[in-house]
Amino acid sequence: MLRTHNEAREEVGTPPLELDDELTAQALEYAQELASTGQFQHSPPSDRQGQGENLWAGTPSAFSFEEMSGAWIDEKRFYQHARFPFVSTTGQWQDVGHYTQIIWRDTTRLGCGLATGSGRDYLVCRYAPPGNVSGEFPY
């Protein structure tokens, strides 16, 4: 996860992320919650103050870490360099929001957790400081 994130960041010239044990523990805890409930939704912002979050779900054991993060990084095909939220050629920032969180220049730390349950793998990555800030350029 860290390698693929940092490769995407290197492409646009943003500094590499560092793994953060606290973010990792929180991401794993939320991934386990998703796996146990079968829900697929972002955690409440009040539960992750000062953090961004990317989610992924798929068939258990069918995808590599590169494929999981690659789904987010592939959103760059719709990315246009502008102030957030005007960052997508589709007109919908959500079409690139995972990617922009990964490359966000002010984000410095990453933690990810993976859990299996309810017939799926659930990946949660947390980012600090969070990206996707209105009025700012991603990098």
Side-chain angles (χ1 to χ4, degrees):
M1 277 299 155
L2 182 63
R3 181 179 53 77
T4 57
H5 276 66
N6 283 337
E7 287 171 354
R9 292 174 67 84
E10 185 176 16
E11 285 180 10
V12 299
T14 54
L17 298 173
E18 293 182 7
L19 285 179
D20 182 283
D21 291 340
E22 186 175 333
L23 290 175
T24 298
Q26 292 172 7
L28 178 58
E29 182 179 344
Y30 190 60
Q32 291 169 335
E33 181 179 327
L34 293 175
S36 70
T37 64
Q39 302 273 335
F40 187 69
Q41 61 189 21
H42 283 284
S43 61
S46 60
D47 289 353
R48 56 181 164 88
Q49 291 184 2
Q51 300 174 11
E53 181 177 76
N54 279 350
L55 304 179
W56 179 93
T59 304
S61 303
F63 297 90
S64 68
F65 289 132
E66 290 83 4
E67 290 170 317
M68 293 174 194
S69 59
W72 298 330
I73 294 166
D74 285 347
E75 293 175 358
K76 69 182 173 185
R77 71 186 183 274
F78 300 120
Y79 175 76
Q80 65 183 8
H81 192 65
R83 291 185 189 277
F84 192 85
F86 307 105
V87 291
S88 178
T89 59
T90 68
Q92 300 294 317
W93 70 264
Q94 296 89 341
D95 293 337
V96 298
H98 300 100
Y99 174 68
T100 53
Q101 174 56 87
I102 288 170
I103 63 166
W104 200 265
R105 73 172 180 270
D106 293 334
T107 299
T108 59
R109 295 174 287 130
L110 168 70
C112 297
L114 180 67
T116 302
S118 303
R120 299 167 108 181
D121 278 343
Y122 293 86
L123 171 67
V124 176
C125 286
R126 297 275 178 91
Y127 305 84
N132 297 341
V133 178
S134 287
E136 294 187 15
F137 283 95
Y139 61 91

